[in-house]
Amino acid sequence: MSPWSWFLLPTLCLLPTGADPGRGAPASANCELKPQQSELNSFLWTIKRDPPSYFFGTIHVPYTRVWDFIPDNSKEAFQQSSIVYFELDLTDPYTISALTSCQMLPQGENLQDVLPRDIYCRLKRHLEYVKLMMPSWMTPDQRGKGLYADYLFNAIAGNWERKRPIWVMLMVNSLTEVDIKSRGVPVLDLYLAQEAERLRKQTGAVEKVEEQCHPLNGLNFSQVIFALNQTLLQQESLRAGSLQIPYTTEDLIKHYNCGDLSSVIFSHDSSQVPNFINATLPPQERVTAQEIDSYFRQELIYKRNERMGKRVKALLEEFPDKGFFFAFGAGHFMGNNTVLDVLRREGYEREESKSVVRAHLLHHLCSGSACCGNASSGSCICSPLAVSASCVPARKCRPGGWGGAEVSEEAEAATPTAKAAS
């Protein structure tokens, strides 16, 4: 699922979401750990107070793609916290309706009226191609849930002629084979919100829909047309097999699962928009691409970080005896002027929670697979996928319940509840 499909949340919430952690596309990492990377990031930061509160960095992809790799300390922090806050309140119907209305053109207008004729025709042609191809992109699991191509296309793109061009650009980016195969599984943020509700935790949001939505509508018309044209060119080149994009959703997932702090990739996941800057652009178009990138970095990362950090501070001060778990896009904790920087300036101490468990992926749920790495020292990567020549037979791993911790056969025999939890 495209990282920027977060803004297509109204569509995501219309789809069946009955998947459990064991279903969906298998998670994989194949991390090549260097000695100095023996402790990689768990995307969990602790705010030092009593009780402690936590920041957790998420990515906007189906949770089944990353769940097995999220370390126990992050899952335990979620369990222990009485209050869980997100960027937006994903379970509030108003969030969905507000996102929907924000995307629409003014009453009486449609895309054919506002787009240049050649771009409109190319857009219509591309959407016809997607609709034609979508049945072949669907998985048996999706069809088994009653999710069919016509329904899915209409849910995502049925009213495309009424949307503002910037939202059509985001929609086109999400209409790829890889993204379509992911539909029907909640993104990580939505899954955590559903879990928080199920566990009867108090939930909330640090932002309003309008604060995320209006900056996208703030681009001027020429910038929007440039962005949509570049998106169509990219999709047309991908269809023709003449383009390979610099990084994909799979790259994002791999960096996240390996605990690799790549602020370049995660910042685009958190800002929700693709990067249009590339060396092949003519000079004037490169200037436009840089202006768009700078605008979104300022409006969707830096300004939001400042606002989110100050609202977190206000919550911590209002409820000093409560433990909070703040789940925001990972990009809000990386690079310059992060949410963490805002809290530090306000006098809060925080520490980064490393996870050897993540580094060695010992909690990856596997059975009868291969163990790649230094098995004698206990640091191995269990992978049900390809087995390299250096792999040795893995010991059997079993899930340890909600936390996803590995349970040895000996420990399982000594702990009857472990089997029940799995």
Side-chain angles (χ1 to χ4, degrees):
M1 182 172 294
S2 294
W4 38 85
S5 61
W6 171 255
F7 278 120
L8 302 176
L9 184 63
T11 299
L12 299 177
C13 293
L14 288 172
L15 305 180
T17 56
D20 59 64
R23 299 179 68 182
S28 61
N30 297 328
C31 314
E32 295 181 4
L33 300 177
K34 299 180 175 66
Q36 65 269 28
Q37 292 175 299
S38 59
E39 291 189 357
L40 293 180
N41 195 277
S42 63
F43 296 101
L44 183 75
W45 291 264
T46 303
I47 304 171
K48 292 183 177 180
R49 60 186 226 138
D50 187 21
S53 289
Y54 304 93
F55 285 120
F56 177 61
T58 67
I59 56 174
H60 308 313
V61 302
Y63 80 101
T64 50
R65 299 300 312 281
V66 299
W67 191 251
D68 296 349
F69 294 87
I70 294 176
D72 294 345
N73 60 346
S74 299
K75 293 175 178 177
E76 288 165 3
F78 178 85
Q79 286 280 53
Q80 292 166 7
S81 301
S82 57
I83 307 176
V84 183
Y85 263 67
F86 301 91
E87 295 173 29
L88 296 176
D89 187 347
L90 307 180
T91 58
D92 183 353
Y94 171 76
T95 301
I96 312 306
S97 62
L99 273 171
T100 300
S101 61
C102 179
Q103 297 177 23
M104 295 300 169
L105 286 165
Q107 190 68 33
E109 290 187 18
N110 61 57
L111 271 181
Q112 193 168 8
D113 300 327
V114 299
L115 288 182
R117 179 173 173 77
D118 64 319
I119 290 183
Y120 176 82
C121 291
R122 286 166 56 212
L123 171 63
K124 188 173 183 180
R125 190 159 53 245
H126 179 70
L127 292 178
E128 288 169 352
Y129 161 82
V130 169
K131 187 172 185 178
L132 180 67
M133 295 300 296
M134 196 174 283
S136 66
W137 294 348
M138 304 290 290
T139 67
D141 185 54
Q142 287 173 316
R143 287 189 285 269
K145 295 176 190 173
L147 191 58
Y148 290 94
D150 284 346
Y151 167 78
L152 185 55
F153 181 85
N154 287 330
I156 299 171
N159 61 345
W160 66 271
E161 294 207 52
R162 287 279 301 117
K163 286 180 182 282
R164 295 175 184 266
I166 190 69
W167 297 98
V168 172
M169 180 270 289
L170 295 175
M171 179 191 75
V172 169
N173 264 311
S174 74
L175 285 170
T176 65
E177 181 175 0
V178 171
D179 298 316
I180 293 302
K181 288 182 185 298
S182 299
R183 298 287 174 159
V185 179
V187 294
L188 179 58
D189 313 71
L190 181 56
Y191 176 70
L192 288 174
Q194 292 170 342
E195 277 296 292
E197 277 208 331
R198 185 181 69 80
L199 295 169
R200 300 186 185 281
K201 294 180 181 290
Q202 182 180 334
T203 61
V206 296
E207 289 189 291
K208 300 174 183 176
V209 170
E210 294 77 13
E211 292 169 334
Q212 285 200 14
C213 185
H214 287 170
L216 278 164
N217 291 341
L219 280 181
N220 66 48
F221 184 72
S222 63
Q223 290 171 326
V224 171
I225 296 304
F226 170 84
L228 179 55
N229 181 54
Q230 289 299 311
T231 299
L232 286 172
L233 285 172
Q234 183 183 77
Q235 294 301 320
E236 289 159 354
S237 298
L238 287 170
R239 281 167 51 188
S242 59
L243 174 70
Q244 190 168 15
I245 53 180
Y247 63 83
T248 65
T249 303
E250 293 302 312
D251 296 323
L252 175 72
I253 291 169
K254 179 177 178 180
H255 277 268
Y256 188 77
N257 286 347
C258 291
D260 185 0
L261 293 174
S262 173
S263 60
V264 173
I265 289 183
F266 289 112
S267 65
H268 281 287
D269 179 58
S270 294
S271 68
Q272 313 305 327
V273 294
N275 184 3
F276 297 112
I277 300 173
N278 68 75
T280 64
L281 291 174
Q284 186 54 48
E285 291 188 0
R286 199 175 309 152
V287 169
T288 301
Q290 289 168 341
E291 288 173 348
I292 293 173
D293 183 77
S294 176
Y295 172 83
F296 282 137
R297 192 175 300 277
Q298 187 67 30
E299 296 293 328
L300 295 177
I301 297 291
Y302 297 150
K303 284 187 179 180
R304 288 178 59 207
N305 286 351
E306 189 73 23
R307 182 168 59 234
M308 292 160 70
K310 288 182 176 178
R311 288 176 183 170
V312 166
K313 174 181 177 285
L315 286 166
L316 295 175
E317 291 178 352
E318 185 177 358
F319 302 100
D321 59 338
K322 299 290 186 182
F324 285 84
F325 186 91
F326 297 100
F328 304 153
H332 293 291
F333 305 112
M334 290 172 224
N336 301 317
N337 306 313
T338 69
V339 171
L340 300 172
D341 292 332
V342 176
L343 268 292
R344 180 178 50 77
R345 290 199 303 268
E346 298 291 344
Y348 282 88
E349 283 189 61
R350 49 80 180 158
E351 63 181 5
E352 189 176 318
S353 301
K354 297 290 185 179
S355 176
V356 176
V357 174
R358 175 190 283 277
H360 301 315
L361 305 181
L362 292 178
H363 58 296
H364 185 192
L365 314 184
C366 59
S367 178
S369 59
C371 187
C372 303
N374 186 356
S376 62
S377 68
S379 61
C380 65
I381 300 173
C382 294
S383 173
L385 304 176
V387 180
S388 74
S390 62
C391 293
V392 296
R395 63 185 183 277
K396 290 184 178 179
C397 314
R398 293 184 62 85
W402 198 91
E406 185 180 274
V407 180
S408 69
E409 292 176 324
E410 295 84 357
E412 188 177 30
T415 314
T417 55
K419 188 171 290 186
S422 66

